[in-house]
Amino acid sequence: MTLLVVSPDYASHLLPLATLATEWRDRGERVVVATGPATAAIVESFGFERVHLQLGRGSNPGVIRAEEQVAEEDASLRGFFDATRLGMVETLSYQARERLTDLMWQPVATARAVLDVVAAVRPDQIVVDHLAFSARLALVAGGVPFADVVLGHPTALPVGDEVYGCPPEWPAAFGGAGAGADPALAGGRTTVESSNHPGTRFDDANVVRAAGDASVARADAGAAPEGVAGLRELCERVDASFTAEWNAALAELAPHLPPSTSAFGEHGDLLLYNYPGELADPEREALLPPHVWLGSAVRAEPVDAEVAAWLAGGADRAPAPAPDLDPTPDRDPTSDPDPDPTPAPFVYVSFGSFLSVRSDVLGRVAEALRRVGVRAAIALGSGDRADLGEVPSDWLVREFLPQVTLLDAATAAVTHGGNNSVTEAMTAGVPVVVLPFSTDQFAGAAALERTGVGVALAPNTATVDELAEALRHVLDLPTRDPGAAGRLAGLAASLRETPGRARAHAALTGRD
């Protein structure tokens, strides 16, 4: 039996797909991965065959830097990074415009290359990254059955009146969901400030207080028309344009097939959501096509000697004072130390392969960690180490860190809200502080907030004090919110009992 995995040339996409495919490999079955050259080493590390397939102009072998991309992708990435500094609407609007050139790279030629790979490999099953639009176009045109893996938050496949690129749900720090919003905004479930303006804060009632900036809307009054409403309108235009491009390519490849009404809503014969069903919005469940919740695709990692020594050093330390979880000044944090020599708690911090460039935000997170008094392991990525300030001697800071290994031992995590990071944290039973910047990270952060297993803050405006309080909350979750801590523990147990790779294999083969 042969499984064909079709992936863009991005590590963050290939790693979970390859992890799912290990179930086939471990059963002695053949696995072939069709992807580009940047991730060839990852394919080799899993012991899979690789065939060349270029699905887009960009690539990412693990840590992405704009200057290492081709000229067009370099400019696109720099524009994206700049947009993240302006605010969420600006970022999502920039990404929407970029989709006019990024998602369907040379669609007809790419689709034919995909069909050539299928003919050469002759697979029994095919799994495709949902965002590999040209690959899915090819399989639709060729009448080839396939499973569609949604690697991001489930809202990456819009249903009902949702529009791709305009999140249907937002965390409270961005206005929350349905807080008096105009029903025309984002399917009637969104209200939000128009930008991450400095000086803007949310109080406990989630009402925006803008320091002298009248352009920021009150959350309870809905977003400014040029904000989320403008974003939704832009996303609708992009949907129409993208659908026209899809249909033009489809007409050339398979003129006998009917045109699509919305290319972003197209999907495979079976949807595999790399996401826990326990965190999914129950209101969307009835609207979904045939699907399986995989939960997570947590990969095995080789032993990293430096990380193992750092973790062992934390375990061998004498009982340390507890982190300053109570910010009141009259509390003595050294009182009543735990007599058992348990490992010192630590927080794992990563903004992923793209958004690690925002080391200005990492710097505020680092200061909050110092203020709370907890150890940290920080994956710096392409960020500037100088932005972290003075790094305590018991911290671990490197360009790349083995995320799964560290999450397994962490007490809490700080993340940009990428789906790999979120699902891996949930599998480890680790609560998170989420600082979403783009795409489906907002809806993902809202889900974590809704279920109580995470705290979401706006990355451009969150102060060190706010970050420190969020850290205290997740570090002390069993005391502050026992119900949420219990839900997280139950979710982690479920994800570990039946891994996503086993769920995927059973769904595609009908065999446990």
Side-chain angles (χ1 to χ4, degrees):
M1 185 172 291
T2 298
L3 173 71
L4 174 63
V5 178
V6 181
S7 173
D9 202 15
Y10 288 86
S12 58
H13 290 246
L14 176 57
L15 283 170
L17 290 171
T19 299
L20 296 178
T22 60
E23 188 71 18
W24 279 257
R25 181 200 65 190
D26 294 348
R27 291 170 179 255
E29 297 165 4
R30 180 187 180 211
V31 178
V32 180
V33 178
T35 190
T39 52
I42 296 175
V43 177
E44 182 180 359
S45 72
F46 278 88
F48 302 149
E49 299 176 41
R50 187 182 78 89
V51 296
H52 178 75
L53 181 63
Q54 197 72 37
L55 294 174
R57 64 188 184 188
S59 62
N60 173 14
V63 174
I64 195 163
R65 291 180 173 85
E67 63 270 16
E68 296 174 358
Q69 302 296 308
V70 298
E72 296 87 350
E73 190 70 4
D74 180 341
S76 176
L77 278 173
R78 292 182 190 279
F80 167 68
F81 296 148
D82 289 344
T84 66
R85 300 177 188 277
L86 299 176
M88 60 165 206
V89 169
E90 290 87 347
T91 302
L92 294 171
S93 296
Y94 182 86
Q95 290 181 297
R97 295 185 186 97
E98 284 292 293
R99 290 188 182 105
L100 296 174
T101 59
D102 189 44
L103 293 184
M104 292 283 280
W105 181 75
Q106 301 179 7
V108 173
T110 302
R112 287 175 174 154
V114 171
L115 292 175
D116 287 344
V117 167
V118 172
V121 174
R122 301 181 64 185
D124 297 282
Q125 294 102 25
I126 301 175
V127 294
V128 182
D129 182 345
H130 177 73
L131 294 183
F133 289 99
S134 295
R136 295 198 291 109
L137 169 68
L139 300 175
V140 169
V144 180
F146 67 98
D148 195 348
V149 185
V150 180
L151 293 175
H153 186 265
T155 55
L157 176 69
V159 295
D161 59 358
E162 297 171 358
V163 181
Y164 185 82
C166 188
E169 187 177 13
W170 306 83
F174 296 89
D182 182 338
L185 299 185
R189 299 206 308 148
T190 300
T191 177
V192 66
E193 67 200 289
S194 63
S195 183
N196 290 337
H197 293 268
T200 303
R201 300 288 177 266
F202 283 78
D203 62 18
D204 291 339
N206 295 330
V207 177
V208 176
R209 295 197 302 267
D213 189 343
S215 68
V216 183
R218 285 175 56 88
D220 58 356
E226 65 275 13
V228 176
L231 171 64
R232 181 179 173 89
E233 182 181 358
L234 170 61
C235 290
E236 288 171 343
R237 295 201 308 269
V238 171
D239 179 89
S241 176
F242 181 60
T243 299
E245 185 180 9
W246 171 288
N247 286 334
L250 183 64
E252 186 171 347
L253 293 163
H256 62 286
L257 292 179
S260 173
T261 57
S262 174
F264 286 121
E266 294 288 337
H267 54 82
D269 303 271
L270 176 66
L271 280 170
L272 302 177
Y273 283 107
N274 184 37
Y275 196 74
E278 294 89 337
L279 295 182
D281 183 351
E283 294 181 12
R284 301 181 80 247
E285 184 76 23
L287 302 175
L288 299 178
H291 64 281
V292 173
W293 298 108
L294 299 183
S296 63
V298 176
R299 61 193 181 277
E301 291 177 330
V303 174
D304 184 309
E306 182 184 16
V307 171
W310 185 80
L311 290 171
D316 293 341
R317 291 175 59 190
D324 184 14
L325 302 180
D326 181 354
T328 54
D330 58 347
R331 177 181 178 270
D332 178 4
T334 64
S335 62
D336 300 322
D338 185 346
D340 297 323
T342 55
F346 75 91
V347 176
Y348 173 72
V349 182
S350 173
F351 285 172
S353 55
F354 279 91
L355 288 160
S356 59
V357 72
R358 291 298 309 275
S359 53
D360 58 314
V361 182
L362 280 175
R364 273 181 278 130
V365 172
E367 178 57 31
L369 289 161
R370 284 189 289 266
R371 190 167 298 183
V372 172
V374 65
R375 289 198 310 155
I378 301 178
L380 187 59
S382 57
D384 186 344
R385 187 185 179 100
D387 287 338
L388 300 182
E390 184 176 353
V391 175
S393 60
D394 61 348
W395 286 17
L396 177 64
V397 178
R398 278 187 359 199
E399 177 182 7
F400 172 81
L401 288 171
Q403 178 162 289
V404 173
T405 300
L406 285 162
L407 282 173
D408 276 343
T411 310
V414 180
T415 173
H416 63 305
N419 200 56
N420 288 344
S421 298
V422 167
T423 55
E424 287 166 3
M426 295 300 99
T427 303
V430 173
V432 294
V433 175
V434 194
L435 300 165
F437 290 87
S438 67
T439 57
D440 56 359
Q441 294 164 14
F442 299 104
L448 296 169
E449 193 172 65
R450 167 167 41 82
T451 52
V453 297
V455 176
L457 297 173
N460 287 347
T461 59
T463 66
V464 172
D465 285 344
E466 290 167 339
L467 289 163
E469 177 53 29
L471 285 165
R472 293 184 183 104
H473 181 84
V474 295
L475 284 166
D476 198 28
L477 190 65
T479 300
R480 296 196 178 201
D481 192 343
R487 288 191 294 274
L488 178 57
L491 173 58
S494 172
L495 294 175
R496 287 176 177 271
E497 181 180 9
T498 310
R501 59 185 182 273
R503 302 182 192 192
H505 189 274
L508 289 178
T509 67
R511 295 185 281 121
D512 293 333

